[in-house]
Amino acid sequence: MKFTQKKVILFDLDGTLIDSVPDLASAVNHMLKALERETFSEDTIRYWVGNGAQILVKRALSGQTEIDENLDPALFEKALDIFLMFYGQNLCIDTATYPNVATTLHTLKEKKYRLVIVTNKPFNFVGPILEALGLDGVFDFWLGGDSLEKKKPDPLPLLHACEHMDVTVDQCVMVGDSKNDLLAAKTCGMQSVGVTYGYNYGEEIGIYDPTYIIDDFSELSALL
């Protein structure tokens, strides 16, 4: 089975195209040290990634995935500023693409597919990371988690991307590693591909009923 009549492929970034956890974890722990709070292992922080910088910071301050409802707003704002400043200066120290991502993206580009990133990562961080990894010329455009008033799992970013690219939902496919990607796609009626690696909070990606599931990014070429 293959997708048919697709023109645009929407990609999540963190956990789908790149493993950014090492640098995110460094920024989180830098923030916590600056606030004289307990730090956490990279493996622990990995389960907190995927909903954007604000949620990541709140989870780190809470010390768990469930956010403490009693977090001090002033502490959160201070922590967020520390995190964003440090991360912005250390975006791509240990961040790397997953296996076969670069070659597959170039292959899809050669097949005349138009490629877009729809991520919950702040917009200003996306371009520098893509440039550092040699992927800045591959994508038509990208949306960050702060580009619109809502982010994934809300379908708004996907619908906005369709409008921007002048295509219908049926002409697009969403590729992602987490429930945020697949729920957004399902809500707007877009077909999707779930990758089994990445950051899905320890859950099996199949729970969220993607159209196809792949274990390696290179398998995407065979679906298109």
Side-chain angles (χ1 to χ4, degrees):
M1 296 291 292
K2 297 179 68 170
F3 290 113
T4 58
Q5 299 179 323
K6 301 300 180 188
K7 294 184 176 181
V8 175
I9 311 172
L10 311 180
F11 295 96
D12 175 53
L13 183 59
D14 299 69
T16 300
L17 302 181
I18 64 172
D19 183 5
S20 53
V21 164
D23 290 327
L24 288 169
S26 293
V28 164
N29 282 330
H30 170 83
M31 171 198 79
L32 292 170
K33 287 177 184 176
L35 297 172
E36 299 183 336
R37 296 172 74 96
E38 177 189 2
T39 58
F40 298 92
S41 71
E42 184 178 304
D43 286 342
T44 296
I45 295 170
R46 184 173 293 272
Y47 284 97
W48 299 344
V49 173
N51 294 91
Q54 294 193 9
I55 298 297
L56 175 58
V57 168
K58 287 180 179 180
R59 286 172 172 162
L61 292 175
S62 303
Q64 58 186 15
T65 303
E66 287 295 319
I67 294 169
D68 182 355
E69 295 179 359
N70 298 314
L71 273 182
D72 179 358
L75 173 64
F76 164 68
E77 291 297 337
K78 181 179 180 181
L80 182 63
D81 287 345
I82 294 170
F83 171 83
L84 292 175
M85 179 67 71
F86 184 88
Y87 186 56
Q89 296 171 350
N90 298 275
L91 286 170
C92 211
I93 307 301
D94 294 308
T95 291
T97 54
Y98 284 104
N100 302 311
V101 164
T103 53
T104 302
L105 289 175
H106 285 291
T107 297
L108 294 172
K109 192 79 171 174
E110 290 168 5
K111 290 182 176 181
K112 306 302 181 185
Y113 288 104
R114 296 152 73 198
L115 312 181
V116 172
I117 288 176
V118 179
T119 176
N120 283 344
K121 181 184 286 295
F123 178 84
N124 287 341
F125 295 156
V126 179
I129 290 174
L130 294 177
E131 183 177 2
L133 297 174
L135 297 176
D136 49 320
V138 176
F139 298 96
D140 286 64
F141 90 113
W142 48 84
L143 291 171
D146 52 355
S147 294
L148 305 169
E149 58 267 28
K150 295 180 180 179
K151 59 189 176 186
K152 302 175 298 183
D154 194 278
L156 177 64
L158 279 63
L159 294 171
H160 181 87
C162 290
E163 182 179 354
H164 182 89
M165 300 299 288
D166 194 24
V167 291
T168 66
V169 167
D170 290 338
Q171 292 172 316
C172 300
V173 58
M174 178 74 214
V175 182
D177 67 302
S178 86
K179 61 184 179 182
N180 296 324
D181 308 306
L182 303 184
L183 290 172
K186 181 176 286 189
T187 302
C188 68
M190 186 180 295
Q191 290 186 302
S192 62
V193 175
V195 303
T196 56
Y197 55 87
Y199 321 140
N200 194 36
Y201 318 105
E203 295 181 324
E204 294 288 338
I205 198 67
I207 294 172
Y208 296 96
D209 198 29
T211 313
Y212 295 106
I213 297 174
I214 59 176
D215 298 315
D216 187 285
F217 196 80
S218 62
E219 297 172 48
L220 188 59
S221 294
L223 299 176
L224 293 158

